[in-house]
């Protein structure tokens, strides 16, 4: 089973240190780990450090069947693809990213079609990428990541452009894939109720430093939310016996005080 461990991992852009002290793991296949924290906390930088796209100290240890360049797939926040391509063509190109030659096997074509169907974007197959809405482009980006059959999938805010029903659909699908295929998923999210519902582990980053890590139910507390996000929050239990978050306001004195 795939596993990923981070030992005092940091990152820097030149002489400017932007991330430090991230130690967690081993994270294992079959789990979804949320990476949370305020804007500009260092979440995207952590993904780039795991990929080796940013230099830094500490150690990233990956145990996987394939080499890291094949085992880890990264879905960035910004969707980048040539607008002249159709949706179908862009996903086929993603499937062949580490292949040589132009031939596409029947198995890969079937995989492309199955993934498009699972994300309910088959009707977009022959639309140009430039014709799509932001949410549709985000779903195509998810398909491009999944078609590469990763062992580790890094997803940077993959639901930011999706409407609520699509957010729930995609996150439930990723949770199912993690469990059924022993896929290790790291996913940066801002909606903490989604974290509580769909994630097993969580890494909390603020001001370029890891604040906490561990099982979601132990890490996401009212005290942590006040300290990291500056909000007064309550964790309640719904009728389905699941925790959910209610924000009452900002922590500290009110503006009128």
């Amino acid at each position: 089973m795939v596993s990923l461990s981070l030992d005092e991992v940091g990152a820097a852009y030149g002489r400017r240190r932007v991330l430090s002290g991230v130690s967690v793991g081993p994270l294992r296949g079959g789990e979804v780990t949320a990476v949370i924290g305020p804007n500009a906390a260092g979440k995207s930088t952590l993904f780039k450090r795991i990929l080796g796209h940013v230099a830094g100290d500490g150690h990233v240890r990956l145990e996987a069947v394939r080499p890291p360049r094949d085992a880890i797939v990264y879905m960035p926040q910004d969707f980048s693809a040539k607008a002249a391509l159709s949706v179908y063509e862009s996903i086929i190109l993603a499937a062949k990213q580490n292949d040589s030659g132009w031939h596409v096997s029947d198995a890969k074509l079937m995989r492309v079609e199955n993934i498009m169907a699972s994300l309910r974007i088959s009707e977009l197959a022959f639309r140009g990428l430039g014709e799509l809405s932001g949410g549709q482009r985000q779903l195509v980006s998810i398909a491009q990541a999944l078609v590469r059959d990763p062992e580790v999938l890094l997803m940077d805010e993959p639901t930011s452009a999706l409407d609520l029903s699509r957010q729930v659909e995609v996150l439930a699908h990723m949770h199912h894939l993690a469990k059924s295929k022993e896929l290790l998923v790291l996913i940066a999210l801002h909606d903490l109720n989604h974290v509580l519902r769909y994630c097993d582990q969580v890494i909390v980053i603020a001001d370029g430093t890891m604040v906490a890590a561990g099982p979601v139910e132990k890490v996401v507390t009212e005290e942590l939310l006040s300290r990291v996000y500056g909000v007064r929050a309550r964790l309640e239990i719904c009728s389905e016996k699941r925790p959910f978050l209610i924000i009452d306001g900002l922590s500290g004195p009110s503006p009128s005080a």
Side-chain angles (χ1 to χ4, degrees):
M1 180 186 294
V2 64
S3 68
L4 178 70
S5 299
L6 308 178
D7 181 15
E8 290 297 318
V9 165
Y13 295 104
R15 295 184 178 181
R16 182 169 65 92
R17 179 176 291 275
V18 294
L19 186 69
S20 63
V22 180
S23 293
V24 66
L27 304 173
R28 302 189 185 280
E31 293 184 335
V32 179
T33 297
V35 182
I36 67 173
N39 290 331
K43 301 184 293 297
S44 298
T45 299
L46 175 61
F47 286 163
K48 293 173 184 176
R49 176 67 181 85
I50 292 170
L51 288 161
H53 294 175
V54 177
D57 49 11
H59 300 282
V60 177
R61 297 187 177 90
L62 173 69
E63 293 187 10
V65 174
R66 291 173 290 169
R69 67 184 294 268
D70 297 326
I72 302 179
V73 172
Y74 174 48
M75 178 188 164
Q77 287 185 45
D78 299 323
F79 181 95
S80 58
K82 293 182 179 179
L85 294 175
S86 71
V87 167
Y88 191 69
E89 289 169 336
S90 73
I91 299 172
I92 287 176
L93 284 177
K96 288 186 57 61
Q97 185 157 326
N98 295 323
D99 292 353
S100 58
W102 291 101
H103 177 71
V104 183
S105 67
D106 290 342
K108 281 200 172 176
L109 290 174
M110 181 62 69
R111 180 169 177 79
V112 169
E113 291 172 9
N114 288 342
I115 287 173
M116 292 179 68
S118 71
L119 293 169
R120 293 199 298 114
I121 58 172
S122 299
E123 71 278 7
L124 302 178
F126 300 107
R127 298 256 309 265
L129 293 176
E131 303 173 38
L132 304 183
S133 69
Q136 289 171 330
R137 289 168 69 91
Q138 199 159 46
L139 290 167
V140 172
S141 185
I142 294 170
Q144 289 176 324
L146 292 177
V147 80
R148 294 174 60 189
D149 195 21
E151 295 177 65
V152 178
L153 180 56
L154 309 180
M155 308 180 81
D156 199 349
E157 299 186 31
T159 59
S160 60
L162 302 181
D163 62 42
L164 185 57
S165 64
R166 280 297 213 171
Q167 290 176 32
V168 170
E169 183 179 7
V170 165
L171 292 172
H173 185 58
M174 297 313 303
H175 187 266
H176 170 73
L177 285 179
K179 303 302 180 188
S180 62
K181 297 185 176 296
E182 295 189 338
L183 173 64
L184 196 167
V185 180
L186 272 75
I187 182 167
L189 290 171
H190 280 298
D191 189 321
L192 299 187
N193 276 314
H194 286 339
V195 173
L196 290 168
R197 176 65 180 85
Y198 297 108
C199 300
D200 306 293
Q201 304 285 326
V202 62
I203 302 169
V204 187
I205 299 176
D207 297 321
T209 303
M210 192 184 85
V211 175
V216 169
E217 66 274 11
K218 293 184 178 180
V219 172
V220 180
T221 64
E222 295 168 7
E223 186 277 331
L224 179 126
L225 296 172
S226 176
R227 180 158 52 103
V228 172
Y229 290 96
V231 296
R232 288 183 291 111
R234 287 177 286 136
L235 282 165
E236 305 284 356
I237 302 298
C238 74
S239 59
E240 295 185 351
K241 310 301 182 185
R242 299 182 185 278
F244 70 98
L245 182 66
I246 299 174
I247 305 297
D248 291 322
L250 299 177
S251 58
S254 65
S256 59

